[in-house]
Amino acid sequence: MTQLALVIDLNVCVGCHACVTSCKQWNTSGAAGSLMDDNPYGKDPTGTFFNRVQTYEVGEFPNTETIHFPKSCLHCEDPPCVPVCPTGASYKRAEDGIVLVDYDKCIGCKYCSWACPYGAREIDEKQKVMKKCTLCVDRIYDLTLPEAERKPACVLACPTSARLYGDVHDPESEVSRAICESGGYPLMPEWGTQPANHYLPRRKTRIKIHADELTRVDNPLKKDGHLPETDKNAPFLEDSTSW
């Protein structure tokens, strides 16, 4: 059986959020939209996103690392969100393994979000239905698009090619080879959900940092003992420029 999924290379994800914005744009414009945003530039912004990037600092100063961890629905092979849905709104497609939500059946009870151990479900506060990554199902089967563009929006937008897409059940696919060659792993397999999405682990690097490398030798505060000062009698730009 075909199982479409994403494979994310944590070595090259730079946390630029291009995947987040492209996902938002495509799905807001398509059948899954609109994805609401309330008070986006205010104190307490809320909104619906299918894809988020979580950033962590690990290690102990000065030997620290920044890790960017993209996360969306993992399209589990045994999705716990499906059997708990009282209306049958959550379902897994037999033909390609994509987990979807039928908005016409969803009553917004949030049982699916409680059952999902990955926090991949979000309530749309305006439509009062649960939403999640569709793997851009309305894009990957759109025959009006060039074949090269029949991929999830996040995959096409990633500037570092950190995202791969394909059938993880096909041993000859790009994603299966990447998992095999790089030791790709599913997220929290102990839950027994068999996530279809996989992550390629970060390669460990060891860097020795000396104490003198933590101080800028060209720091003006260190060289002169005080901040550089401007000439108070010098003319302002407005004094010599005609706008």
Side-chain angles (χ1 to χ4, degrees), residues 56-235:
Y56 305 92
E57 288 291 328
V58 298
E60 187 172 338
F61 180 83
N63 297 307
T64 59
E65 291 182 85
T66 302
I67 295 176
H68 305 291
F69 198 89
K71 195 174 72 175
S72 58
C73 173
L74 303 170
H75 297 281
C76 301
E77 299 198 37
D78 188 11
C81 56
V82 170
V84 300
C85 180
T87 65
S90 291
Y91 64 102
K92 185 174 180 65
R93 289 166 43 120
E95 62 268 36
D96 53 21
I98 299 176
V99 178
L100 294 176
V101 179
D102 185 338
Y103 296 161
D104 292 333
K105 295 181 179 179
C106 181
I107 57 175
C109 67
K110 301 183 182 179
Y111 281 1
C112 57
S113 67
W114 297 337
C116 174
Y118 309 105
R121 297 275 185 144
E122 300 200 5
I123 182 75
D124 186 312
E125 295 292 352
K126 282 193 168 53
Q127 298 182 8
K128 299 299 180 185
V129 297
M130 301 305 295
K131 293 188 173 180
K132 58 176 285 302
C133 164
T134 68
L135 215 59
C136 288
V137 68
D138 56 337
R139 180 185 187 100
I140 60 178
Y141 292 110
D142 186 349
L143 299 182
T144 65
L145 293 173
E147 186 174 356
E149 296 183 13
R150 293 177 209 160
K151 297 179 180 179
C154 60
V155 174
L156 293 171
C158 182
T160 62
S161 299
R163 287 170 170 260
L164 305 175
Y165 154 77
D167 180 7
V168 292
H169 282 185
D170 178 2
E172 299 302 320
S173 69
E174 180 184 23
V175 288
S176 292
R177 290 198 300 271
I179 293 171
C180 182
E181 293 170 1
S182 301
Y185 63 92
L187 187 63
M188 295 192 294
E190 63 271 22
W191 286 96
T193 63
Q194 302 180 61
N197 285 8
H198 282 64
Y199 293 89
L200 305 185
R202 286 171 61 87
R203 291 181 289 272
K204 291 184 178 180
T205 57
R206 293 184 180 276
I207 301 175
K208 184 66 175 179
I209 300 177
H210 299 282
D212 58 343
E213 294 176 311
L214 300 176
T215 303
R216 285 183 53 184
V217 295
D218 60 342
N219 188 336
L221 292 175
K222 295 291 184 183
K223 292 176 67 175
D224 302 326
H226 56 80
L227 286 171
E229 295 183 357
T230 58
D231 182 358
K232 296 180 180 177
N233 298 318

